[in-house]
Amino acid sequence: MQAIQILTTGSADVLTLRDLPTPTPGPGEALIRIEASGVNFIDTYFREGRYPAQLPYTLGQEASGIVLSVAPDVTTVKPGDRVAWCLVPGTYAQLTVAPADRLVAIPDHVSFQQAAAAILQGMTAHYLAHSTYPIQSGDEVLIHAGAGGTGLLLIQMAKARGARVFTTVSTKEKAALARAAGADEIILYTQEDFVAKVKTLTQGKGLPVVYDSVGKSTFEQSLQCLQPRGLLVLFGGASGAVPPFDLIRLSTMGSLFITRPTLKNYVATRADLEARAKDVFDGVANGTLKLRLEHTYPLTDAARAHRDLESRNTTGKLLLIP
Ligand code: NDP
């Protein structure tokens, strides 16, 4: 079976198509034929070596597919089941094994591509809006990179909870997409000072929460957008990692809070995983959560997908089809 591996870390050039043996499910695992694999920014962190991985390493940690076989001790899924999962490495491949207790059933009205597009970024948007900072009706929130895969979903969920949504994007085309997703105030942060704009639009008050996945290039200004006792949710570093930070500054800037959350801790139990996946898939099935699936690549084009994502040329979700 074919898979995309890295044998060394580096640029998108290190992605290598390899023929690997069919994996065998170990205890508690299922063998799955992958129908679609999500491309996420975190995959570029592993590829670069920003996050450590044992090499050779099969990239990708989000997919949908059909169960082909299960280990004798598995009773929760069976061959033929349509399933989706995330946070299990090895999805840039035709076949993979995954722990059965991390698989969720795909509802009838959700396609394989929709499931692979929604499960990681959708559950991320879900925990950010519902758990890390449970948005209340009337809250004013800032979401960076609003036309990205996670950004478009987080805008929709923040609007559904009654927020006034501020978002940043790099181009006018992306601004139109963020607007269509429901954003109220759109700031072209490549041209405008987003701190000044936020301050003007909130009459100097600032915001209770900023969702920042851009990191290095926005972190300092994101703090300046907060009102006293506001929360910075730093959940990624698309522009690079944030340098070390002196905590005393949280005090001098208004008793601020910072959290650096990750999805793993918000879907750690089976109950959390099922509840979040259900909310996301229900939204996709009933049309209240819209996915943008404009970027679909054959598995063999994984390097092009990475280059497109990193050069800020994409909007919404990127999928690899084996
Ligand atoms: P996106 O589709 O959002 O792509 C990243 C976007 O970041 C780009 O489209 C771009 O939007 C913006 N960006 C700003 N500066 C840069 C830069 N220098 N280089 C590249 N992009 C830049 O990706 P994802 O939805 O997959 O992920 C978004 C972020 O969320 C990532 O940081 C990721 O690590 C994080 N994440 C975190 C999770 C968690 O649980 N902590 C889970 C899932 C994702 P624009 O052109 O408008 O600036």
Side-chain angles (χ1 to χ4, degrees), residues 199-215:
K199 287 285 164 66
T200 305
L201 291 167
T202 60
Q203 287 80 44
K205 201 160 47 86
L207 305 167
V209 64
V210 175
Y211 294 103
D212 189 340
S213 64
V214 174

Side-chain angles (χ1 to χ4, degrees), residues 41 45 121 124 127 148-150 170 174 189 213 235 237-238 261 263 312:
F41 222 92
Y45 306 154
Q121 293 173 344
T124 297
Y127 84 72
T150 310
S170 64
K174 291 187 176 188
Y189 58 177
S213 64
F235 70 101
L263 175 60
R312 303 167 82 161

Side-chain angles (χ1 to χ4, degrees), residues 216-255:
K216 191 175 175 184
S217 66
T218 47
F219 174 76
E220 284 293 335
Q221 294 99 308
S222 293
L223 287 172
Q224 292 168 34
C225 291
L226 291 169
Q227 62 193 36
R229 293 165 53 183
L231 172 65
L232 176 59
V233 182
L234 178 70
F235 70 101
S239 68
V242 172
F245 177 80
D246 184 353
L247 289 175
I248 194 66
R249 294 189 50 220
L250 294 179
S251 156
T252 56
M253 293 182 83
S255 302

Side-chain angles (χ1 to χ4, degrees), residues 37-41 43 62 92 121 305-306 309 317-320:
S37 173
V39 177
N40 291 287
F41 222 92
D43 304 339
E62 174 183 40
Y92 288 11
Q121 293 173 344
H306 274 219
L309 183 62
K317 187 68 192 176
L318 289 73
L319 291 176
L320 298 177

Side-chain angles (χ1 to χ4, degrees), residues 1 23 28-40 42-43 58-69 77 81-107 110-124 263 267 270 273-274 277 280-281 317 319-320 322:
M1 67 110 182
E29 289 183 337
L31 172 69
I32 306 153
R33 188 179 80 221
I34 293 176
E35 296 290 324
S37 173
V39 177
N40 291 287
I42 195 171
D43 304 339
T58 305
L59 281 175
Q61 46 176 279
E62 174 183 40
S64 61
I66 297 176
V67 174
L68 295 182
S69 65
V77 291
D81 284 357
R82 300 166 78 239
V83 292
W85 68 100
C86 64
L87 306 183
V88 181
T91 63
Y92 288 11
Q94 293 176 315
L95 302 170
T96 196
V97 289
D101 66 3
R102 292 281 96 191
L103 303 175
V104 293
I106 304 174
V110 176
S111 71
F112 284 116
Q113 292 202 7
Q114 288 174 319
I119 189 154
L120 193 152
Q121 293 173 344
M123 293 200 301
T124 297
L263 175 60
V267 290
R270 182 74 202 170
L273 174 66
E274 282 182 2
V280 170
F281 286 156
K317 187 68 192 176
L319 291 176
L320 298 177

